[in-house]
């Protein structure tokens, strides 16, 4: 996972290092005018709405608030109420479902926000970003799981992946039907709930995982038009 994340970082750095290379005009005023048009056009590529930050920021804050005594109290109640809870690894597969549904729709010709090829790239970048952040925080925090299995509890990787998948489905097909968004986020929430019930994660872990999954996918989708334009310009050189 570290190698994949490192390669992704180098790829993004390579893309972002592409600078605008305009042909030298006969008159300096023409060059300035052209640069101004390019800058305005590039600014339009970034379509960010502040409301999109509400969910991930709220989830991250809730994770920090519930970290510690609140999560421990809830976990002790969960263990006492559901001591033998077992999903038979269902949660290990469910977190992929929303993304599989989204890509299956794209592959079958159902029109989404992007072409099927772009959907594949967006899914790859979103998962690399989300799991890169999640893995890094696990290494930094070294927080013990409630079952004492290891020190890789915070944040939840399963939940992060589930909400990444759900956000991909929402971004591509949520405008087509709200039921795609409802189904995707219901599946993701179920994964997080299962991780707590199985005594694999604290409440704070799944809240932070959900926030990371949504935030990483939103950032990738917002920046993707700009990244595509950068790649096109690099190829033309």
């Amino acid at each position: 996972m570290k190698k994949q994340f490192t390669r992704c970082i180098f790829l993004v750095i390579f893309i972002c290092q592409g600078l605008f290379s305009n042909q030298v005009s006969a008159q300096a005023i023409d060059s300035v005018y052209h640069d101004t048009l390019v800058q305005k056009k590039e600014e339009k590529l970034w379509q960010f709405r502040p409301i999109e930050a509400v969910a991930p920021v709220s989830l991250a804050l809730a994770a920090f608030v519930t970290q510690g005594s609140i999560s421990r109290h809830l976990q002790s109640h969960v263990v006492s109420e559901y001591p033998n809870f077992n999903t038979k690894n269902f949660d290990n597969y469910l977190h992929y479902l929303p993304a599989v549904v989204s890509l299956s729709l794209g592959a079958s010709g159902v029109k989404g926000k992007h072409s099927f090829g772009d959907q594949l790239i967006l899914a790859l970048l979103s998962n690399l970003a989300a799991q890169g952040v999640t893995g890094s925080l696990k290494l930094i925090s070294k927080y013990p799981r409630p079952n004492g299995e290891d020190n890789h509890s915070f944040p939840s990787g399963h939940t992060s992946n589930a909400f990444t998948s759900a956000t991909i489905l929402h971004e591509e097909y949520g405008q087509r039907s709200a039921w795609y968004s409802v189904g995707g986020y219901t599946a993701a929430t179920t994964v997080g709930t299962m991780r707590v019930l199985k005594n694999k994660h604290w409440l704070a872990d799944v809240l932070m995982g959900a926030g990371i999954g949504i935030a990483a996918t939103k950032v990738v989708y917002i920046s993707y038009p700009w990244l595509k334009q950068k790649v096109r310009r690099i190829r033309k050189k």
Side-chain angles (χ1 to χ4, degrees):
M1 184 182 72
K2 290 182 180 179
K3 287 185 178 180
Q4 291 178 343
F5 181 60
T6 304
R7 289 173 183 169
C8 177
I9 291 297
F10 280 127
L11 176 61
V12 173
I13 292 174
F14 171 73
I15 293 173
C16 293
Q17 281 179 339
L19 301 173
F20 294 117
S21 178
N22 300 316
Q23 294 181 348
V24 179
S25 303
Q27 298 180 359
I29 189 170
D30 292 336
S31 178
V32 172
Y33 178 68
H34 180 265
D35 289 345
T36 302
L37 290 177
V38 170
Q39 184 177 0
K40 288 182 177 180
K41 184 177 180 180
E42 186 161 294
E43 286 175 354
K44 292 180 180 179
L45 296 175
W46 294 86
Q47 300 294 327
F48 173 72
R49 295 177 300 167
I51 194 172
E52 293 181 327
V54 173
V57 170
S58 298
L59 286 165
L61 290 174
F64 286 116
V65 170
T66 58
Q67 182 75 284
S69 60
I70 295 177
S71 289
R72 286 196 296 270
H73 179 73
L74 173 65
Q75 203 64 34
S76 63
H77 176 73
V78 167
V79 172
S80 63
E81 290 291 326
Y82 309 97
N84 300 314
F85 185 83
N86 190 356
T87 63
K88 295 183 179 180
N89 293 322
F90 182 61
D91 51 318
N92 291 334
Y93 304 103
L94 182 60
H95 62 101
Y96 295 115
L97 182 61
V100 170
V101 170
S102 179
L103 293 175
S104 296
L105 289 170
S108 62
V110 180
K111 187 177 180 181
K113 185 183 291 185
H114 297 88
S115 67
F116 178 60
D118 284 339
Q119 286 186 41
L120 285 173
I121 297 172
L122 284 161
L124 176 63
L125 292 177
S126 297
N127 278 282
L128 283 173
Q131 292 308 308
V133 173
T134 301
S136 298
L137 287 177
K138 282 180 180 289
L139 292 174
I140 294 170
S141 65
K142 295 182 179 179
Y143 205 82
R145 293 183 187 272
N147 61 5
E149 187 177 278
D150 56 42
N151 293 327
H152 301 136
S153 187
F154 182 85
S156 168
H158 281 69
T159 309
S160 174
N161 185 267
F163 275 87
T164 298
S165 297
T167 306
I168 290 170
L169 180 59
H170 166 72
E171 289 289 332
E172 292 298 332
Y173 295 100
Q175 294 179 349
R176 190 179 185 89
S177 173
W179 288 110
Y180 287 118
S181 301
V182 171
Y185 285 117
T186 298
T189 303
T190 301
V191 171
T193 302
M194 286 180 175
R195 300 303 287 173
V196 173
L197 290 173
K198 288 181 70 174
N199 204 27
K200 292 280 189 178
H201 282 288
W202 309 95
L203 173 62
D205 300 342
V206 300
L207 289 173
M208 181 59 77
I212 291 172
I214 295 173
T217 309
K218 290 286 187 183
V219 169
V220 169
Y221 267 80
I222 290 169
S223 61
Y224 189 63
W226 176 78
L227 289 172
K228 280 185 70 175
Q229 187 178 92
K230 286 290 186 181
V231 171
R232 288 197 193 101
R233 290 183 178 179
I234 291 173
R235 285 178 177 177
K236 288 179 180 179
K237 290 181 180 179

